[in-house]
């Protein structure tokens, strides 16, 4: 683990284990709920807004791969959370951005917009968890210093 984020979490194996289980459940348990691409989009939006280059690069790659919408994901990275993508993705990005700025900013108008975009209860929960989890992870990572993409 060359990454300071994981080195810090590894000091308490129980916390690292629970963090990893949470991450896997949010992003890999996709038999129901929000499609993986949309989960990764929410994490990308949170990471882009927070300025976490490392997480934004990782989650944007997954969002691009799972959605096949490489240009749209790149637009989000280039233009920020105000980029116009399509009604569904715009609703997800706006909700993720509101949760990231401050959870109290997320409100009924975001839920209504997500519902209008077709999200059901489980999809809403998945979107909220994806954005909230990476908002937390970004802030911890950024507190440890400027994140960089490591060479293999």
């Amino acid at each position: 683990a060359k990454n300071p984020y994981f080195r810090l979490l590894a000091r308490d194996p129980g916390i690292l284990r629970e963090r990893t289980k949470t991450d896997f459940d949010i992003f890999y348990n996709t038999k129901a709920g929000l499609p993986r691409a949309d989960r990764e989009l929410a994490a990308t939006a949170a990471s882009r807004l927070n300025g976490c280059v490392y997480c934004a690069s990782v989650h944007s790659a997954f969002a691009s791969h799972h959605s096949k919408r490489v240009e749209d994901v790149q637009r989000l990275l280039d233009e920020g959370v105000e980029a116009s993508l399509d009604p569904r993705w715009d609703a997800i990005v706006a909700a993720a951005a509101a949760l990231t700025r401050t959870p109290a900013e997320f409100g009924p108008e975001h839920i209504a917009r997500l519902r209008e975009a077709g999200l059901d209860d489980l999809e809403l929960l998945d979107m909220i968890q994806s954005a909230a989890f990476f908002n937390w992870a970004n802030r911890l990572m950024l507190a440890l210093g400027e994140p960089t993409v490591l060479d293999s």
Side-chain angles (χ1 to χ4, degrees):
K2 297 178 183 176
N3 186 308
Y5 171 82
F6 286 104
R7 282 200 314 261
L8 174 66
L9 294 175
R11 292 177 179 270
D12 187 327
I15 288 174
L16 178 57
R17 181 178 50 257
E18 294 306 317
R19 177 255 173 240
T20 302
K21 286 171 37 180
T22 300
D23 183 280
F24 284 0
D25 192 48
I26 291 170
F27 293 103
Y28 294 96
N29 185 6
T30 58
K31 291 179 184 170
L34 202 62
R36 175 83 184 267
D38 293 352
R39 297 171 193 221
E40 297 291 353
L41 178 70
T44 300
S47 300
R48 171 59 173 85
L49 184 61
N50 278 332
C52 189
V53 175
Y54 179 80
C55 291
S57 69
V58 170
H59 292 284
S60 66
F62 281 123
S64 294
H65 170 76
H66 289 286
S67 70
K68 309 297 185 225
R69 294 175 59 179
V70 176
E71 295 83 13
D72 287 334
V73 174
Q74 189 61 51
R75 188 174 315 114
L76 172 62
L77 293 175
D78 292 344
E79 298 175 19
V81 296
E82 291 77 25
S84 179
L85 307 171
D86 72 24
R88 180 182 176 92
W89 273 24
D90 289 349
I92 291 170
V93 169
L99 282 165
T100 300
R101 283 185 188 101
T102 180
E105 190 175 307
F106 178 81
E109 67 278 6
H110 295 99
I111 298 292
R113 189 172 175 193
L114 291 163
R115 292 266 189 231
E116 288 171 17
L119 275 69
D120 64 24
D121 288 347
L122 186 54
E123 290 172 319
L124 283 167
L125 180 61
D126 288 337
M127 192 288 313
I128 290 167
Q129 290 176 334
S130 299
F133 184 76
F134 267 86
N135 184 27
W136 167 81
N138 297 158
R139 290 171 190 246
L140 176 58
M141 188 172 290
L142 290 168
L144 295 172
E146 183 64 30
T148 57
V149 179
L150 300 173
D151 295 327
S152 306

